[in-house]
Amino acid sequence: MRIRWKLLLLLLAISLLPLGIALTFGRREAIRATDQIVEQINQTLLSDAERFLLQTVRDQSRVMRRVVEFIDQNLRLQARDAEHCLDAPPPADPRFHIMGEPPPNAADGSALTRFDYLGFYISPGITKAAVYDDMARLTRLLPAYQMVYRAEPEMILWQYVSMTNGVHCFYPGDGALPEGYDGRKRPWYTEAEKARKLTWSAPMVDLGTGQIVRTVSMPVFHRDGSLLGVAGIDIRMSASLSAVDLPPQWRDAAKTFLVFPDVEAGKPIIRVHARPGYEAPGGADSIVPYESVTSTDASVYAHIVDDLKAERAAVRVLSYQDRQSFWAYSAMPGTNSSLLVILPHDVVASPAINADRNLRVIIDAQRTWIAILLAGVIVVIAALALSASRYVTEPIRELAAAAQRIASGDLDTPVRVRSRDELGQLSRTMNAMLPQLRDRLRMREGLAIAQAVQKSLLPDAPPTVPGWDIAGLSQFCDETGGDYYDFLDLSADAPGRFGVAVGDVTGHGIGAALMMATVRALLRAEAHGATSLGEVLARANVELQDTSARTMQIMTVGCLVFDAATRSVRWSSAGHDPALLFDPASRAFSELASTGVPLGVDPGWKYEESGPEEIRPGQIVVIGTDGIWEARNPAGEFFGKDRLKETVATATGQTAAEICKAVTEAVAAFRGSRTQDDDITIVVVRAAFA
C-alpha cells in the first residue's frame, strides 16, 4: 500500500475512529434494547396464548360434554319410545319411504322434504308385508328424531333403529344404503346387543356418505326382556371440532384433533379419533385405521399420554412436525376421547417477530443516514491527505525501485536517497546489505549443488529380486539432510542375495550430506566378499575416523542382508534402532536387535552380525530412522513406535512402496501444522514368495 494511502488511513482513523466507536456502541445498545423489548413481548404473547389455549380446550370440553349428555339422554328416550311404539297398534295412515320406492307426499299431495318422513330398508330375504306393521309403528318416532336433529344439525348425521326382524328405520328419510346391507351385522349393533346397555363405537366409515362417524347405540327390548333391535345416532367426528373457536390469526396454523391414548410396540402413542376433514371415500365398509399424532420430544410426549389416560387438562410445549408448539388438551368424559389443539410457537410470536423486524429497519435507516454523513467527511479528508502526501512519497518510490532491482538480481547498483530522516537511514542500511546478499546467494547456490549431489546418491529405484517386494524413501527437513539408505547388490556372492543399509548422521546440512556420501562409498566398497556384516561395519568405522574428527559428526547405520536361497535375513547395527519384523499370520512384531556404537565413535569397536532369521511368506521387515517415531504433533507428543507398528499392520497386504507411503502419510497427519524437525527415511522388504 502506498504511503499516501497510509497517511489517508491515518487521518481517517484519527477523525473517524472515535465517531465510529460511538456509533457502533450506540447501535449495539439500540439492538440490545430492541431485543429486550421483543423478548418481553414474546414472553407475554406465549404466556397469554398458553392460558387462552387451556381455557379454550376446557370450555370446548365442557360444551362437548353437554352435547354428549344431550345425545345420550335422547338416545335413551328414543330407545324407550321405540319399545312403546312397537308394543302399540300401527297408525291408520302412516307416511314413510322404503328404499327403492318413490318418496311419499303430504296429505294434500305436495312434496315432502327428507326431514318430513322416515326411511326404511328391508334386509334381503324379508318381505314388505311381513314387517309393514312394525315400519308403521316406528313412524311415531319422527317428532323425537326431528327435535334432536334441529338441536344439533351439524353434529348428528343419522338417527335410526335396526330391528331383529331385518327392518332398518333411519332419519333423515332419503338415506342410501348399499345392496345387501344388514344393520344386525354392524359393529354398533353387535356391541350394544352384547353389552345390553348404551355404548360408543370406534370411529367408522358411514356407508352412505363416506364420512367418519362414531355411533352411540342402545338396545331396544320387548316387555319380556327379549331384544327387539338397537337404536343408534351417528355423530360426525369432524363436526365435533368445528366449534373450537381460535383467533383468526391462529386458525390456519392450528391443528385440532379428538384423540385417545394407546400403546404401540410397548411405547405410548396418541391416536386420532377425529380431525377436520377426516373423511374416507364414499362406500367404504371398514373400521377407520387410526392415525397418530407424534413428536420427537419423547419425554414430554409420554407425560401427555399419562395426562390423557388420567383425563387431565394441561398445556405442554414440545415439537410437532419440526416446529416447537403448544399442545393443549382436555378430556371429554364418556367418549373415550380428548380434545387436542396444537399451535406452533412462531405463530403466537409473530407479532413480536414483526416488531423486531420493524425496529431493526428503523435502526438500519438511521445507520444509512449516518453512513452518508461519514462518506462526506471521508471525501474531505481524502482530498487533504492526497494533496500533502506527495512530498513524503518521493524518497519512498526511490526505495521501492531499489528493492525491485535487488529482487531481480541487481546487487551492484546502490540506493540513492540522501535525506537525514528514517528513509535516509533505510537507504544506507540497504546499501550495507548488498555485499551480504551476494555472499548468501553464493551459499545457496552451493547448497543447491550439494542437494543435487546428495539426491543422486540415493537409489533411483529398488532392486528387482524374484520373491521379494522392496521399497524405500527419504524425506529431508533441510535442503541437505543427514539420512541415508541404499540397496546393495550381492548377487555376485550368491544368487538372490541383496543388502539394505539405513543410516542417520547427527545434524543436517552440507556436513551431514558429505558424511552420508562417504559412508555410502565405504559400505559399497566393503560389502562384496565380506565374511560378515560386522566386518563391513568395522572397516567402514576405521576409514571414517578422520572424517568424523574433522566434522565432529557421527553416524548410526543398520545393515541387513537377505538371502533368497535360504529365505533368511542377517543383520548388524552401528548404534541404529533395530529393524522390525512383522508376521501377518500372528499379527506380532519382533525386533532384529544388535549392539554396536555409531560409526566414528571408537575406531577399535568390534561389530557383530546377528542371525540368520528365517523369513516366512508374507512377513515384512521395516527399518527406518528416528525422524519417524520422534516426530511430534503440535501438543508435543511423539509419534512413537507403537503408531509405526499400527500403521504397518494396517497396511498388510499392500505393496512395500504403499507401506512406505502409508507410514510417511501417517507421520504427516500426526504432525499436523508442526514443521518437520528431522529427516525421515524408511525401507520396507516384504516376502512375496509362496
Side-chain angles (χ1 to χ4, degrees):
M1 181 184 293
R2 295 179 179 273
I3 292 295
R4 63 173 59 190
W5 297 114
K6 291 183 179 180
L7 289 174
L8 172 61
L9 292 178
L10 178 62
L11 292 175
L12 289 175
I14 294 173
S15 58
L16 299 181
L17 185 60
L19 181 58
I21 293 174
L23 291 175
T24 299
F25 278 100
R27 183 175 185 274
R28 183 181 302 173
E29 288 301 311
I31 292 176
R32 188 176 65 84
T34 297
D35 291 341
Q36 291 177 347
I37 293 171
V38 170
E39 180 63 23
Q40 291 174 357
I41 295 174
N42 186 57
Q43 291 301 323
T44 300
L45 289 171
L46 294 177
S47 177
D48 290 347
E50 182 175 350
R51 288 193 296 269
F52 179 84
L53 288 172
L54 182 59
Q55 188 63 43
T56 297
V57 295
R58 282 176 170 168
D59 291 346
Q60 186 62 26
S61 177
R62 285 191 287 269
V63 171
M64 287 299 300
R65 185 182 309 166
R66 288 194 292 270
V67 172
V68 168
E69 291 172 352
F70 170 79
I71 292 174
D72 283 358
Q73 180 181 7
N74 279 277
L75 180 61
R76 295 178 192 276
L77 292 174
Q78 290 174 8
R80 188 176 62 184
D81 288 347
E83 293 171 354
H84 293 160
C85 291
L86 293 170
D87 197 38
D93 186 21
R95 283 183 173 82
F96 56 88
H97 173 223
I98 299 176
M99 281 185 55
E101 297 181 1
N105 293 324
D108 59 2
S110 61
L112 297 174
T113 69
R114 61 193 295 260
F115 303 106
D116 296 329
Y117 57 86
L118 298 183
F120 287 89
Y121 175 82
I122 302 174
S123 299
I126 309 298
T127 64
K128 176 179 177 180
V131 295
Y132 184 87
D133 286 347
D134 284 341
M135 291 190 292
R137 292 184 180 99
L138 290 175
T139 59
R140 293 191 177 100
L141 294 175
L142 179 61
Y145 284 166
Q146 289 173 328
M147 184 273 293
V148 172
Y149 193 87
R150 283 193 296 267
E152 294 292 341
E154 298 297 326
M155 186 73 68
I156 294 176
L157 182 61
W158 300 107
Q159 302 173 74
Y160 44 81
V161 175
S162 195
M163 297 181 62
T164 56
N165 62 7
V167 170
H168 183 74
C169 165
F170 53 88
Y171 177 84
D174 64 344
L177 294 172
E179 186 69 26
Y181 176 82
D182 191 341
R184 296 167 297 183
K185 297 179 181 179
R186 299 293 291 168
W188 52 265
Y189 187 102
T190 58
E191 290 171 3
E193 179 183 19
K194 180 180 179 181
R196 300 184 69 82
K197 64 179 182 179
L198 186 145
T199 60
W200 282 76
S201 74
M204 301 180 64
V205 179
D206 175 61
L207 299 185
T209 65
Q211 298 185 58
I212 307 299
V213 298
R214 287 189 72 181
T215 300
V216 191
S217 54
M218 177 79 181
V220 178
F221 297 105
H222 196 274
R223 68 177 64 181
D224 61 4
S226 62
L227 184 70
L228 287 173
V230 173
I233 298 177
D234 283 350
I235 299 173
R236 292 184 179 95
M237 296 296 291
S238 58
S240 61
L241 298 172
S242 61
V244 178
D245 187 19
L246 296 175
Q249 65 271 23
W250 294 356
R251 289 174 188 165
D252 291 339
K255 306 293 182 182
T256 55
F257 306 90
L258 288 181
V259 299
F260 67 98
D262 199 2
V263 176
E264 181 179 273
K267 295 182 179 180
I269 193 167
I270 299 173
R271 302 289 193 187
V272 177
H273 268 155
R275 56 172 172 77
Y278 200 27
E279 297 184 359
D285 185 8
S286 63
I287 295 177
V288 178
Y290 291 123
E291 297 179 0
S292 302
V293 183
T294 60
S295 173
T296 56
D297 299 333
S299 176
V300 183
Y301 186 84
H303 285 305
I304 293 179
V305 174
D306 292 339
D307 288 345
L308 295 178
K309 291 178 181 178
E311 296 189 349
R312 288 190 290 264
V315 177
R316 294 185 184 271
V317 177
L318 64 162
S319 65
Y320 176 71
Q321 295 181 347
D322 298 327
R323 297 172 73 181
Q324 198 74 352
S325 304
F326 287 115
W327 293 44
Y329 47 90
S330 180
M332 295 190 295
T335 66
N336 298 323
S337 295
S338 295
L339 174 63
L340 171 63
V341 178
I342 299 178
L343 180 64
H345 261 199
D346 53 11
V347 175
V348 177
S350 59
I353 296 172
N354 292 334
D356 178 66
R357 186 183 302 111
N358 293 335
L359 288 173
R360 291 181 185 274
V361 168
I362 294 173
I363 293 172
D364 290 340
Q366 293 176 343
R367 184 177 60 177
T368 300
W369 283 107
I370 293 172
I372 293 173
L373 176 62
L374 290 178
V377 175
I378 291 172
V379 170
V380 174
I381 293 176
L384 295 175
L386 293 176
S387 63
S389 63
R390 67 185 62 181
Y391 299 104
V392 180
T393 58
E394 192 64 34
I396 296 175
R397 283 198 295 270
E398 173 59 28
L399 289 172
Q404 290 177 352
R405 291 196 300 272
I406 294 172
S408 64
D410 182 2
L411 303 180
D412 298 320
T413 304
V415 183
R416 295 181 176 84
V417 175
R418 294 180 174 81
S419 61
R420 297 181 178 274
D421 55 13
E422 289 81 358
L423 297 177
Q425 179 63 36
L426 178 59
S427 173
R428 291 187 289 275
T429 302
M430 291 178 68
N431 287 331
M433 179 183 66
L434 292 177
Q436 300 174 11
L437 289 176
R438 286 192 290 268
D439 293 340
R440 291 284 294 178
L441 183 60
R442 284 191 293 269
M443 183 181 296
R444 287 188 66 86
E445 291 173 350
L447 286 173
I449 295 172
Q451 181 182 14
V453 171
Q454 181 184 10
K455 289 185 177 180
S456 68
L457 297 177
L458 294 176
D460 293 330
T464 301
V465 181
W468 300 89
D469 181 13
I470 310 165
L473 63 82
S474 285
Q475 292 180 349
F476 299 135
C477 66
D478 293 331
E479 288 85 350
T480 54
D483 276 12
Y484 151 76
Y485 80 94
D486 198 7
F487 300 115
L488 305 176
D489 182 6
L490 305 178
S491 58
D493 298 338
R497 181 178 296 174
F498 65 94
V500 173
V502 175
D504 187 0
V505 183
T506 57
H508 307 281
I510 295 177
L514 294 177
M515 190 169 189
M516 181 268 280
T518 302
V519 170
R520 175 181 181 275
L522 291 172
L523 290 180
R524 288 201 167 195
E526 300 293 342
H528 293 286
T531 58
S532 73
L533 288 174
E535 177 185 345
V536 173
L537 291 178
R539 291 176 182 173
N541 183 42
V542 172
E543 296 294 336
L544 197 63
Q545 291 303 310
D546 291 341
T547 303
S548 177
R550 289 194 302 272
T551 62
M552 300 299 291
Q553 290 177 310
I554 59 176
M555 181 176 182
T556 66
V557 177
C559 293
L560 303 97
V561 172
F562 294 86
D563 199 321
T566 61
R567 294 185 175 182
S568 63
V569 61
R570 296 178 287 114
W571 66 92
S572 184
S573 173
H576 200 77
D577 282 90
L580 299 175
L581 174 62
F582 176 61
D583 183 7
S586 63
R587 308 297 291 178
F589 281 88
S590 59
E591 291 187 347
L592 305 181
S594 180
T595 59
V597 299
L599 301 181
V601 174
D602 183 356
W605 188 267
K606 302 298 182 183
Y607 294 93
E608 298 178 354
E609 177 182 275
S610 299
E613 175 78 16
E614 180 187 0
I615 301 296
R616 292 188 295 276
Q619 288 187 328
I620 300 170
V621 177
V622 178
I623 184 170
T625 59
D626 57 6
I628 297 174
W629 45 85
E630 291 183 4
R632 290 188 292 178
N633 62 14
E637 299 172 328
F638 288 103
F639 184 78
K641 288 191 176 181
D642 288 340
R643 286 189 177 89
L644 171 61
K645 293 176 181 179
E646 180 181 351
T647 304
V648 173
T650 302
T652 300
Q654 300 183 22
T655 65
E658 289 171 339
I659 296 173
C660 290
K661 182 180 179 182
V663 171
T664 56
E665 288 179 348
V667 172
F670 175 80
R671 192 172 62 243
S673 60
R674 186 174 182 134
T675 58
Q676 183 177 337
D677 298 325
D678 198 0
D679 302 333
I680 292 176
T681 296
I682 183 171
V683 174
V684 174
V685 178
R686 187 174 66 89
F689 47 77

